[in-house]
Amino acid sequence: NNNNNNNNNNNLIHSPQRNQIRSIFIQTEDTPNPESLKFVPGRNILEVTEEETTNGFYATRSDKEDIARSPLAKRLFAIDGVKAVYLGADFVTITKFATSHWTHVRTQVFGAIMDHYDSNDVALRDQPEITDTTIFDDDDEVVAMIKELLESRIRPAVQEDGGDIRYVGFNEETGIVTVQLAGSCVGCPSSSVTLKNGVENMLMHYIPEVTAVVALEEEEEEGGEPKQEEEPKKNKSYEERLAAAGIPFSD
């Protein structure tokens, strides 16, 4: 079979060294968020164990302590126009400011990833073992089920689009689950559709105590326009994609 790759979204980077030339084939993939691009270098980004295949690293420009833990994130935030960085097991999602242009940002991201591999440094230091979906002894049955569904069913589907979703909390009195969106989900016009028609429907389907799912509000961009609440036309594609991942929408 002849597989013709689309070279528009691929970059072959040669790294000259004293005795050899290393090549890294970095692919880019669009995400539902026009301000986010997924970079796939064909190599591991984060060192993950079999038990922790879905835990990523997310930081915005203001997260100084988190950035200090990640040499790769530090390189990426040195690029003018980078708003947020998400590191997955084998990909990097870059979210830029709306005022920046991909023609400028993309080239520098390629270079930063190349420099990272040349340095032989780790992408993330001292990655904590405890994550947002770790089930603790004092978690009640409802919270444990919410965390399990987020980790095993919902998060993998969201990461397909270069994003991530994290558990923040559950209010027993109101039945509201609070989550945080990361990667390409942040600021994406269709993220509210994903949240309502994917995440909320699934949790309510399996856990009657859940009444709604809300996302923590991100900082608005300076001079940015208010985010749109709904884009109903995109419901179907998201429902189909999440359904394909095994997330039901009805009995």
Side-chain angles (χ1 to χ4, degrees):
N1 294 332
N2 293 324
N3 294 323
N4 295 320
N5 290 325
N6 184 352
N7 293 324
N8 292 334
N9 289 330
N10 303 327
N11 258 38
L12 183 63
I13 299 180
H14 295 286
S15 171
Q17 297 186 341
R18 288 181 180 176
N19 300 319
Q20 64 176 350
I21 292 180
R22 283 172 48 199
S23 297
I24 291 184
F25 192 60
I26 302 177
Q27 295 180 293
T28 58
E29 298 176 10
D30 292 334
T31 74
N33 183 0
E35 306 303 339
S36 295
L37 261 185
K38 185 176 175 182
F39 293 78
V40 186
R43 303 183 180 195
N44 284 345
I45 298 290
L46 294 182
E47 296 297 327
V48 293
T49 64
E50 290 184 4
E51 293 82 18
E52 296 181 346
T53 56
T54 60
N55 294 326
F57 169 84
Y58 176 69
T60 61
R61 189 170 280 276
S62 60
D63 296 330
K64 302 301 182 185
E65 290 185 11
D66 288 332
I67 295 171
R69 292 174 50 222
S70 173
L72 176 54
K74 190 174 181 180
R75 293 178 191 274
L76 293 167
F77 278 113
I79 300 169
D80 187 35
V82 172
K83 179 182 179 182
V85 170
Y86 178 75
L87 307 181
D90 57 1
F91 69 90
V92 177
T93 295
I94 299 295
T95 302
K96 69 175 182 62
F97 289 101
T99 52
S100 301
H101 300 286
W102 279 122
T103 50
H104 163 77
V105 175
R106 187 195 327 240
T107 304
Q108 295 197 56
V109 171
F110 283 135
I113 294 174
M114 188 66 232
D115 289 343
H116 165 70
Y117 285 114
D118 278 347
S119 72
N120 290 321
D121 207 346
V122 295
L124 183 63
R125 297 192 182 105
D126 300 323
Q127 189 170 0
E129 294 181 4
I130 296 176
T131 68
D132 58 300
T133 51
T134 298
I135 298 174
F136 300 105
D137 292 338
D138 58 352
D139 283 342
D140 61 28
E141 186 180 355
V142 173
V143 171
M145 287 184 66
I146 293 170
K147 288 180 175 180
E148 172 62 28
L149 287 171
L150 280 171
E151 175 69 21
S152 63
R153 303 288 291 281
I154 296 171
R155 176 173 278 163
V158 174
Q159 287 186 337
E160 279 294 311
D161 281 330
D164 201 0
I165 184 169
R166 296 174 178 174
Y167 173 80
V168 175
F170 173 67
N171 188 316
E172 292 184 9
E173 294 182 3
T174 62
I176 295 175
V177 176
T178 303
V179 298
Q180 181 182 24
L181 300 175
S184 64
C185 297
V186 179
C188 178
S190 52
S191 63
S192 61
V193 176
T194 307
L195 203 65
K196 294 298 179 185
N197 294 320
V199 179
E200 186 176 85
N201 281 10
M202 182 178 191
L203 292 178
M204 290 175 65
H205 175 86
Y206 285 109
I207 309 171
E209 290 85 353
V210 174
T211 60
V213 176
V214 297
L216 280 181
E217 287 296 319
E218 294 290 327
E219 296 179 24
E220 291 287 342
E221 289 188 29
E222 292 183 7
E225 297 180 359
K227 298 173 185 174
Q228 282 185 282
E229 284 297 315
E230 297 276 340
E231 284 203 9
K233 291 181 180 178
K234 294 192 178 181
N235 289 17
K236 187 175 181 182
S237 62
Y238 268 90
E239 289 183 4
E240 288 174 348
R241 183 178 301 149
L242 291 166
I247 299 176
F249 292 90
S250 60
D251 290 324

